Amino acid sequence: MFGIGELAIILIVVILLLGAKRLPDLARSAGKSARILKSEARAMKADSASASTSASGPDAVPGAQYSVRPGEPTRDAGPTTPPRDAEGRPPTAPQ
């Protein structure tokens, strides 16, 4: 790595190239960039954590059409009718 002497030389060269007046602005903008980067990284972690915990079934694409095998009920078939006996009457509750 660098020793103290090399770091001092690099610092002097940076001050000479950029000028002492521009260094505080440069440090301030670097700090803002670092804060923005940290907050975005946290937001991405939170999004990926919530997405992985909410995934409970196969991936479904909103608006996609899926084929259904013949005889299988569809998910959006609407309300189901109650079961009926042989004569077509709804079953009565036991008393």
Side-chain angles (χ1 to χ4, degrees), residues 21-30:
K21 292 182 180 181
R22 290 178 49 191
L23 281 178
D25 292 335
L26 182 65
R28 192 174 301 119
S29 66

Side-chain angles (χ1 to χ4, degrees), residues 2-21:
F2 295 110
I4 293 183
E6 289 89 2
L7 289 176
I9 292 172
I10 292 173
L11 184 61
I12 291 170
V13 169
V14 168
I15 289 173
L16 289 175
L17 289 176
L18 296 178
K21 292 182 180 181

Side-chain angles (χ1 to χ4, degrees), residues 10-95:
I10 292 173
L11 184 61
I12 291 170
V13 169
V14 168
I15 289 173
L16 289 175
L17 289 176
L18 296 178
K21 292 182 180 181
R22 290 178 49 191
L23 281 178
D25 292 335
L26 182 65
R28 192 174 301 119
S29 66
K32 282 182 183 179
S33 298
R35 279 193 298 267
I36 291 170
L37 181 65
K38 280 184 182 180
S39 67
E40 290 297 324
R42 285 185 197 133
M44 286 178 57
K45 276 186 180 179
D47 287 346
S48 66
S50 67
S52 66
T53 58
S54 66
S56 61
D59 294 338
V61 178
Q65 295 179 356
Y66 297 99
S67 61
V68 178
R69 293 184 198 124
E72 273 189 27
T74 58
R75 287 188 176 254
D76 57 351
T80 58
T81 57
R84 302 208 177 252
D85 63 1
E87 297 170 0
R89 293 178 290 181
T92 57
Q95 296 179 7

